[in-house]
Amino acid sequence: MAVIGVMGSGSRPWNRLARPLGAWIAEAGHHLLTGGGQGVMASVGKAFHEHPGRRGCAIGVLPTLADPEHGFRPLEGYPNAHVDIRIVTPLPRRAASDPPGLRTRNHVNVLSSDVVVALPGAHGTRDEVRLCLAFHKPVIGFGPRAQFADMPGELLVVQRLERVVAFIEDRLKA
């Protein structure tokens, strides 16, 4: 089963994009990987999780805080209710002020996915897209083109789920 990473806003759910995408990933028999938070991550996870007959797991790579007793613990609000497998790492969450090249949990998100679908998001999503391009990981943007204006120019951006599906299927055959 392939692992499809879905990255995007941690605050805005983009239901019109995320819910059909999550349902398709479940229907196709793939695993879903997100950052395990709110916004796009919860929206795609809910659709994936609720799909009847799904075989895959919803994986969440969680941002953490150091905890003297338990090593690390997920940040408040993580994971969302639609995560089956929680991945806790000591790697920090990507901050807008972080220098380029800093290793964060975004590396785990990207490197653990077979294909990445980027929905509209902010600095964390932009970092994940850049990592995909740097590590030659298949990535496609899904949503209104204007929402990707600050993303790398090489990112293919589409507005229809059928184009996302064709991209994923093509990359998984390679």
Side-chain angles (χ1 to χ4, degrees), residues 4 10 16-17 23 30 46 55 58 60 70 75 78 81 86 101 103 116 119 122 124 127 130 135:
I4 309 301
R16 162 180 86 75
L17 304 169
H30 303 305
K46 181 174 178 22
R55 294 178 295 145
H70 299 100
L75 292 180
Y78 289 83
R86 301 178 312 162
R103 289 197 174 100
V116 173
L119 274 65
D127 183 55
R130 285 188 180 127
F135 294 122

Short mmCIF file of all heavy atoms in Angstrom, two decimals, residues 4 10 16-17 23 30 46 55 58 60 70 75 78 81 86 101 103 116 119 122 124 127 130 135:
data_model
loop_
_atom_site.label_atom_id
_atom_site.label_comp_id
_atom_site.label_asym_id
_atom_site.label_seq_id
_atom_site.Cartn_x
_atom_site.Cartn_y
_atom_site.Cartn_z
N ILE A 4 0.36 8.17 0.92
CA ILE A 4 0.09 9.46 0.28
C ILE A 4 0.14 10.53 1.35
O ILE A 4 -0.68 10.54 2.28
CB ILE A 4 -1.29 9.47 -0.43
CG1 ILE A 4 -1.45 8.26 -1.36
CG2 ILE A 4 -1.50 10.80 -1.16
CD1 ILE A 4 -0.41 8.13 -2.45
N GLY A 10 -2.72 24.33 8.75
CA GLY A 10 -3.06 23.78 10.05
C GLY A 10 -4.25 24.46 10.68
O GLY A 10 -4.70 24.06 11.75
N ARG A 16 -13.56 21.55 0.73
CA ARG A 16 -13.92 21.31 -0.67
C ARG A 16 -12.82 20.53 -1.40
O ARG A 16 -13.09 19.80 -2.35
CB ARG A 16 -14.21 22.67 -1.31
CG ARG A 16 -14.19 22.76 -2.79
CD ARG A 16 -14.49 24.17 -3.27
NE ARG A 16 -13.34 25.02 -3.34
CZ ARG A 16 -12.41 24.96 -4.26
NH1 ARG A 16 -12.46 24.04 -5.19
NH2 ARG A 16 -11.40 25.80 -4.27
N LEU A 17 -11.60 20.67 -0.95
CA LEU A 17 -10.47 19.95 -1.55
C LEU A 17 -10.10 18.71 -0.73
O LEU A 17 -9.91 17.62 -1.28
CB LEU A 17 -9.24 20.87 -1.62
CG LEU A 17 -9.41 22.19 -2.36
CD1 LEU A 17 -8.22 23.09 -2.10
CD2 LEU A 17 -9.59 21.95 -3.85
N ALA A 23 -11.28 10.86 0.87
CA ALA A 23 -12.15 9.74 0.49
C ALA A 23 -11.52 8.94 -0.65
O ALA A 23 -11.56 7.70 -0.64
CB ALA A 23 -13.53 10.26 0.08
N HIS A 30 -4.87 3.22 -0.16
CA HIS A 30 -3.57 3.74 0.27
C HIS A 30 -3.60 4.12 1.75
O HIS A 30 -4.66 4.26 2.35
CB HIS A 30 -3.19 4.98 -0.55
CG HIS A 30 -3.14 4.73 -2.02
ND1 HIS A 30 -2.39 3.73 -2.60
CD2 HIS A 30 -3.77 5.35 -3.05
CE1 HIS A 30 -2.54 3.76 -3.92
NE2 HIS A 30 -3.39 4.73 -4.21
N LYS A 46 -10.49 13.06 8.44
CA LYS A 46 -11.89 12.70 8.74
C LYS A 46 -12.52 11.98 7.56
O LYS A 46 -13.14 10.93 7.72
CB LYS A 46 -12.69 13.95 9.10
CG LYS A 46 -14.14 13.70 9.45
CD LYS A 46 -14.78 15.02 9.92
CE LYS A 46 -16.22 15.01 10.28
NZ LYS A 46 -16.90 13.83 10.63
N ARG A 55 -8.85 0.35 3.91
CA ARG A 55 -7.86 -0.63 4.37
C ARG A 55 -6.63 0.05 4.95
O ARG A 55 -5.92 -0.52 5.75
CB ARG A 55 -7.45 -1.55 3.22
CG ARG A 55 -8.60 -2.44 2.76
CD ARG A 55 -8.18 -3.29 1.60
NE ARG A 55 -7.89 -2.44 0.44
CZ ARG A 55 -6.95 -2.68 -0.46
NH1 ARG A 55 -6.21 -3.74 -0.37
NH2 ARG A 55 -6.77 -1.86 -1.46
N ALA A 58 -4.39 6.00 8.85
CA ALA A 58 -4.11 7.43 8.89
C ALA A 58 -2.94 7.63 9.84
O ALA A 58 -3.03 7.32 11.03
CB ALA A 58 -5.33 8.20 9.36
N GLY A 60 -0.08 10.13 11.56
CA GLY A 60 0.19 11.52 11.91
C GLY A 60 1.59 11.67 12.45
O GLY A 60 1.97 10.99 13.41
N HIS A 70 8.71 11.99 29.96
CA HIS A 70 8.40 11.07 28.86
C HIS A 70 9.25 11.30 27.61
O HIS A 70 8.97 10.72 26.57
CB HIS A 70 6.92 11.19 28.49
CG HIS A 70 6.01 10.83 29.61
ND1 HIS A 70 5.39 11.78 30.40
CD2 HIS A 70 5.64 9.64 30.10
CE1 HIS A 70 4.66 11.18 31.33
NE2 HIS A 70 4.80 9.88 31.17
N LEU A 75 2.29 18.34 20.92
CA LEU A 75 1.78 19.67 21.23
C LEU A 75 0.28 19.59 21.49
O LEU A 75 -0.40 18.67 21.01
CB LEU A 75 2.02 20.64 20.07
CG LEU A 75 3.46 21.02 19.76
CD1 LEU A 75 3.48 21.98 18.57
CD2 LEU A 75 4.12 21.67 20.96
N TYR A 78 -2.78 18.00 19.19
CA TYR A 78 -2.25 16.91 18.38
C TYR A 78 -2.34 15.61 19.18
O TYR A 78 -2.07 15.63 20.37
CB TYR A 78 -0.79 17.15 18.01
CG TYR A 78 -0.60 18.26 17.00
CD1 TYR A 78 -0.55 19.58 17.41
CD2 TYR A 78 -0.45 17.98 15.66
CE1 TYR A 78 -0.37 20.61 16.50
CE2 TYR A 78 -0.26 18.99 14.74
CZ TYR A 78 -0.22 20.30 15.16
OH TYR A 78 -0.03 21.30 14.25
N ALA A 81 -8.51 13.67 15.99
CA ALA A 81 -9.26 12.43 16.28
C ALA A 81 -9.20 11.40 15.16
O ALA A 81 -9.69 10.29 15.33
CB ALA A 81 -10.70 12.78 16.59
N ARG A 86 0.31 7.29 15.53
CA ARG A 86 0.97 8.54 15.92
C ARG A 86 2.48 8.35 15.88
O ARG A 86 3.01 7.44 16.50
CB ARG A 86 0.55 8.94 17.33
CG ARG A 86 -0.95 9.13 17.44
CD ARG A 86 -1.39 9.48 18.83
NE ARG A 86 -0.80 8.59 19.82
CZ ARG A 86 -0.74 8.87 21.12
NH1 ARG A 86 -1.23 9.99 21.58
NH2 ARG A 86 -0.21 8.01 21.95
N GLY A 101 17.35 24.80 5.74
CA GLY A 101 18.18 23.63 6.01
C GLY A 101 18.00 23.02 7.38
O GLY A 101 18.56 21.96 7.65
N ARG A 103 16.62 20.77 10.12
CA ARG A 103 15.88 19.50 10.08
C ARG A 103 14.69 19.60 11.02
O ARG A 103 14.84 19.92 12.20
CB ARG A 103 16.78 18.34 10.46
CG ARG A 103 17.78 18.05 9.37
CD ARG A 103 18.41 16.69 9.52
NE ARG A 103 19.24 16.43 8.38
CZ ARG A 103 20.56 16.56 8.37
NH1 ARG A 103 21.19 16.94 9.44
NH2 ARG A 103 21.23 16.29 7.28
N VAL A 116 3.31 13.25 -2.52
CA VAL A 116 2.80 14.31 -1.65
C VAL A 116 1.82 15.18 -2.44
O VAL A 116 2.10 15.58 -3.57
CB VAL A 116 3.95 15.17 -1.09
CG1 VAL A 116 3.42 16.38 -0.33
CG2 VAL A 116 4.86 14.33 -0.19
N LEU A 119 -1.98 21.02 -0.33
CA LEU A 119 -3.13 21.91 -0.39
C LEU A 119 -2.66 23.28 0.09
O LEU A 119 -1.56 23.40 0.62
CB LEU A 119 -4.28 21.38 0.47
CG LEU A 119 -5.19 20.36 -0.22
CD1 LEU A 119 -4.48 19.08 -0.57
CD2 LEU A 119 -6.42 20.07 0.62
N ALA A 122 0.77 27.56 4.64
CA ALA A 122 1.69 28.66 4.89
C ALA A 122 3.15 28.17 4.84
O ALA A 122 3.48 27.31 4.02
CB ALA A 122 1.36 29.31 6.23
N GLY A 124 5.00 26.16 6.65
CA GLY A 124 5.27 24.73 6.80
C GLY A 124 5.02 23.97 5.50
O GLY A 124 5.82 23.12 5.10
N ASP A 127 7.71 24.79 3.03
CA ASP A 127 8.93 24.04 3.34
C ASP A 127 8.80 22.59 2.85
O ASP A 127 9.75 22.04 2.27
CB ASP A 127 9.19 24.07 4.85
CG ASP A 127 10.47 23.37 5.23
OD1 ASP A 127 11.53 23.74 4.68
OD2 ASP A 127 10.42 22.45 6.07
N ARG A 130 9.28 22.49 -0.87
CA ARG A 130 10.71 22.65 -1.20
C ARG A 130 11.48 21.36 -0.92
O ARG A 130 12.36 20.98 -1.69
CB ARG A 130 11.30 23.80 -0.39
CG ARG A 130 10.88 25.15 -0.91
CD ARG A 130 11.64 26.26 -0.22
NE ARG A 130 11.19 27.54 -0.74
CZ ARG A 130 10.77 28.54 -0.01
NH1 ARG A 130 10.74 28.45 1.31
NH2 ARG A 130 10.37 29.66 -0.57
N PHE A 135 14.42 16.56 -2.67
CA PHE A 135 14.63 15.12 -2.55
C PHE A 135 13.99 14.33 -3.68
O PHE A 135 13.88 13.10 -3.61
CB PHE A 135 14.11 14.62 -1.20
CG PHE A 135 14.88 15.15 -0.02
CD1 PHE A 135 14.25 15.85 0.97
CD2 PHE A 135 16.25 14.94 0.08
CE1 PHE A 135 14.94 16.35 2.07
CE2 PHE A 135 16.97 15.43 1.17
CZ PHE A 135 16.31 16.14 2.16
#
